[in-house]
Amino acid sequence: MVYVTIAAWGCKISMYRYFKIFLLLARDNFIRQTAYRPSFFLILIGKLLRVFLFVAFTDAIFSNVPVLADWTHERVPLLILTLFILEFLTGITFHRNLLYWFPEWIYKGEYDYIVARPINNIFLTSFRMIDFYDLISLVGISAILIGYLIALAIPLSQLIGYSILLLAAYFILFAFTLTLASINFWTFIPTGIGRLYESIERLNRFPLDVLPKFWRVALFYVVPVAVAGNIPAKFLIGTWSWWQLLYIVVFAAVIFWLAVKIWYRALRHYSSVA
Amino acid sequence: MKKYWTLFRIALENNMAYRGRALIWMLFDLLWIGVFPFIWFTIIQLRGGEVAGWSGSMIIVYYILMMVLSNIVFLHPEAFMAGEIYSGKFSNYLIKPHSYLGYVFLHEISYKIVRFVLFFPFFIPLFFVVCHFGGFSVDILPQLGFAGLAALLGIPIFFLSAYIIGLTSFWLEDSYSARTIFWATSGLFGGQYAPFELMPRFFEQVAAVLPFKYALYFPLRVASAQLTSAQLLTGFSMQLVWIFVLVFLTRIVWIHGVRAYSAVGR
């Protein structure tokens, strides 16, 4: 009992410490990103324009048909908003750190600085640069999503399941990205892989149910890329069951555990030669 | 001329050394064909086999040709240029005895060549598989000459647009903003996502005042033999007009940009 209490206290202190570090990293990057103010605001405009154009394009697609693979014109915003929520969440935190900055740190020999810190190196590598461009967009998109969910009067149980799936999706995407990034310890992979990964993730902008069965099975179950938008949104509209949700949660736990293992195994190959 | 040939050779060797990058971007292009044709194909089937003159097989051909064209036309010097200007490395080019525009163009063209060579062995079998299972054929031979010419004229249109975006780094320090807007608009208003006939008029109206339509959509329509002689003539004329306008703009932006450049990154 004593040990459990001590462990719980230790975990609490550790969590608090990491939270403080996270805030420090965020503050540091906020100062960095707002140093060029015109550029900062132009990027925000660019991001908003991208969202607007995409919504207009999707609207154009769905103006052609009333229903496309279970998705009606009223339901489609749930899919797009879910995609953007996850895209911005990952964009704020680990996405660019692992797929863009991390290969560069390795390439230039700057990674020693991170390895030598008395902080968990997965944490520091993944959250070193907190991206405020996406944070502001996330707030806007979240407000729209909440408003839309209220307007559609989605039952509470579905909202809970949706939140669980969003969390699971975040862990799955983190695990995929971490595994991909781990390859850099063996061989340098160029940043273009980040763009490729983004495109695969963004397949979720569209209802993947229109794809042939082979692709659907692959994208929903084998390598559930569909979790980055389609799966949580499908749960909201009632075409994804609790059993399937459970599968995704278990998948998230397993893949996350595996990704961490792969990372530490790969880290042994880090030679600090740049 | 010899110095440009040397620059081209060096850039080609460099890109051959990092062919992994080209391979990844090629896969990026292949993704387009993975989803969009299925979406539009399903819609067209649901609408009785034809929407605004587009049948299911036509839409698949559209995306196949789009994949080929985007491998030829899309030159992206803007990120590379932004890095050079931001870091101050750009100063080196000011004293070199060659044009910066020429250097960047050769750099990008050499990369395109490597990418196209890698793309072709993937594309040919994929093309035949799609045609075989889709039960249709693509006959672009009759208009291959015109399509090739339109694609060749599309290269400077897209390149110069991207080049101007790259030059905005002279003022913006970090031109990521301009690049974000460029990437968002060039594909959509270039017809990369869908033919304009399938989208609301708004998209075509905006596309009409931007150069991207003439870099991508026009060559593609020429390749699919869907244009009359008058439309062909108008399209080629517009391509030439855009090249002229973009060359002029490039010159203006360059002159003012170099004046604003302070090599602060150094």
Side-chain angles (χ1 to χ4, degrees):
Chain A
M1 187 65 191
V2 176
Y3 288 121
V4 173
T5 315
I6 292 169
W9 265 103
C11 188
K12 233 178 178 178
I13 291 166
S14 183
M15 289 273 279
Y16 179 67
R17 179 169 164 252
Y18 276 91
F19 181 65
K20 266 177 73 178
I21 296 169
F22 182 83
L23 288 183
L24 276 172
L25 292 170
R27 198 185 65 175
D28 176 53
N29 210 43
F30 181 74
I31 294 167
R32 192 200 303 257
Q33 286 188 325
T34 50
Y36 304 122
R37 256 161 239 167
S39 189
F40 181 79
F41 289 110
L42 268 174
I43 289 173
L44 287 183
I45 293 168
K47 296 238 173 208
L48 286 175
L49 180 72
R50 195 169 66 86
V51 174
F52 168 75
L53 287 176
F54 179 68
V55 171
F57 175 65
T58 315
D59 188 60
I61 290 181
F62 280 88
S63 61
N64 282 293
V65 276
V67 184
L68 185 65
D70 290 332
W71 292 94
T72 59
H73 209 258
E74 292 76 40
R75 287 168 164 186
V76 163
L78 295 173
L79 177 66
I80 302 167
L81 291 167
T82 305
L83 164 87
F84 278 122
I85 292 271
L86 281 165
E87 192 181 310
F88 291 142
L89 265 177
T90 56
I92 292 164
T93 51
F94 61 83
H95 184 89
R96 285 185 196 87
N97 282 301
L98 288 173
L99 291 177
Y100 292 88
W101 310 128
F102 170 63
E104 251 186 70
W105 297 331
I106 293 260
Y107 186 66
K108 291 181 180 168
E110 291 169 6
Y111 195 65
D112 296 7
Y113 169 82
I114 289 175
V115 174
R117 301 275 126 182
I119 307 167
N120 179 295
N121 71 73
I122 292 184
F123 174 83
L124 195 55
T125 313
S126 310
F127 303 116
R128 194 174 168 198
M129 306 269 207
I130 303 301
D131 196 330
F132 280 86
Y133 302 133
D134 282 343
L135 183 65
I136 294 165
S137 316
L138 177 71
V139 173
I141 290 289
S142 303
I144 298 170
L145 177 68
I146 292 167
Y148 205 74
L149 290 174
I150 293 169
L152 287 180
I154 306 267
L156 186 65
S157 62
Q158 264 166 284
L159 288 178
I160 293 169
Y162 175 71
S163 309
I164 294 169
L165 276 169
L166 279 186
L167 193 67
Y170 185 83
F171 273 88
I172 291 173
L173 295 172
F174 178 71
F176 285 159
T177 316
L178 191 68
T179 309
L180 210 57
S182 303
I183 301 168
N184 284 288
F185 287 120
W186 280 291
T187 175
F188 174 69
I189 51 168
T191 51
I193 202 98
R195 291 266 170 234
L196 180 69
Y197 179 82
E198 280 165 20
S199 317
I200 295 170
E201 219 180 61
R202 285 176 190 163
L203 291 180
N204 282 281
R205 286 170 171 183
F206 307 101
L208 294 176
D209 297 290
V210 298
L211 296 178
K213 197 177 176 187
F214 170 78
W215 283 115
R216 263 183 291 149
V217 172
L219 296 175
F220 279 97
Y221 297 101
V222 184
V223 188
V225 171
V227 83
N230 269 262
I231 292 175
K234 271 167 82 75
F235 193 84
L236 274 182
I237 63 166
T239 54
W240 193 266
S241 70
W242 282 95
W243 282 112
Q244 286 168 304
L245 178 145
L246 190 65
Y247 169 75
I248 294 296
V249 171
V250 172
F251 187 92
V254 172
I255 194 92
F256 179 71
W257 174 81
L258 205 65
V260 172
K261 286 272 169 208
I262 292 171
W263 174 270
Y264 283 118
R265 200 168 181 85
L267 187 60
R268 286 186 211 160
H269 293 263
Y270 177 55
S271 59
S272 183
V273 175
Chain B
M1 204 60 202
K2 198 181 165 192
K3 62 189 171 196
Y4 286 104
W5 170 247
T6 311
L7 283 174
F8 173 71
R9 202 169 40 81
I10 293 169
L12 195 66
E13 282 168 10
N14 230 330
N15 283 314
M16 293 279 277
Y18 293 104
R19 50 196 176 276
R21 181 175 71 125
L23 197 73
I24 287 162
W25 282 106
M26 192 204 66
L27 290 173
F28 180 88
D29 283 342
L30 286 176
L31 275 178
W32 286 105
I33 203 160
V35 174
F36 280 103
F38 288 110
I39 289 173
W40 285 110
F41 192 81
T42 311
I43 290 173
I44 289 167
Q45 294 308 310
L46 288 170
R47 292 275 304 268
E50 197 184 295
V51 177
W54 286 82
S55 67
S57 58
M58 277 166 75
I59 202 81
I60 291 173
V61 172
Y62 180 86
Y63 282 105
I64 290 174
L65 292 175
M66 174 64 72
M67 196 169 59
V68 180
L69 259 175
S70 60
N71 259 285
I72 299 169
V73 173
F74 281 1
L75 299 173
H76 283 291
E78 64 279 12
F80 162 76
M81 290 168 65
E84 303 260 285
I85 295 170
Y86 181 72
S87 65
K89 282 181 191 165
F90 174 77
S91 308
N92 301 340
Y93 300 102
L94 291 174
I95 50 165
K96 284 190 178 173
H98 60 72
S99 121
Y100 184 65
L101 177 79
Y103 166 73
V104 173
F105 184 71
L106 290 174
H107 184 272
E108 289 301 308
I109 279 291
S110 63
Y111 170 62
K112 273 287 142 177
I113 291 172
V114 173
R115 196 165 141 176
F116 202 74
V117 168
L118 286 170
F119 168 75
F120 232 70
F122 277 90
F123 172 71
I124 296 293
L126 179 82
F127 178 74
F128 283 109
V129 167
V130 170
C131 288
H132 177 73
F133 287 105
F136 56 86
S137 61
V138 183
D139 187 17
I140 62 161
L141 279 180
Q143 57 281 350
L144 192 62
F146 282 135
L149 179 65
L152 279 179
L153 290 172
I155 292 172
I157 294 176
F158 199 88
F159 171 76
L160 290 170
S161 309
Y163 185 80
I164 292 169
I165 296 296
L167 291 180
T168 58
S169 303
F170 283 128
W171 295 276
L172 292 173
E173 277 102 4
D174 177 8
S175 72
Y176 180 63
S177 50
R179 281 179 279 148
T180 308
I181 296 169
F182 177 67
W183 293 332
T185 49
S186 60
L188 187 58
F189 296 113
Q192 194 185 16
Y193 295 172
F196 290 114
E197 291 81 4
L198 298 177
M199 299 207 279
R201 285 280 298 155
F202 158 77
F203 284 93
E204 201 172 359
Q205 283 164 350
V206 177
V209 293
L210 294 172
F212 314 120
K213 180 182 168 184
Y214 295 97
L216 203 64
Y217 187 68
F218 174 66
L220 211 132
R221 293 304 303 273
V222 177
S224 43
Q226 289 169 335
L227 298 180
T228 61
S229 305
Q231 285 172 322
L232 272 179
L233 199 65
T234 315
F236 281 119
S237 308
M238 282 308 291
Q239 281 192 310
L240 292 172
V241 168
W242 269 115
I243 291 172
F244 177 75
V245 169
L246 288 167
V247 167
F248 178 71
L249 276 177
T250 303
R251 189 85 197 119
I252 298 283
V253 177
W254 170 263
I255 290 168
H256 287 87
V258 172
R259 272 187 213 150
Y261 179 63
S262 59
V264 77
R266 270 281 159 100

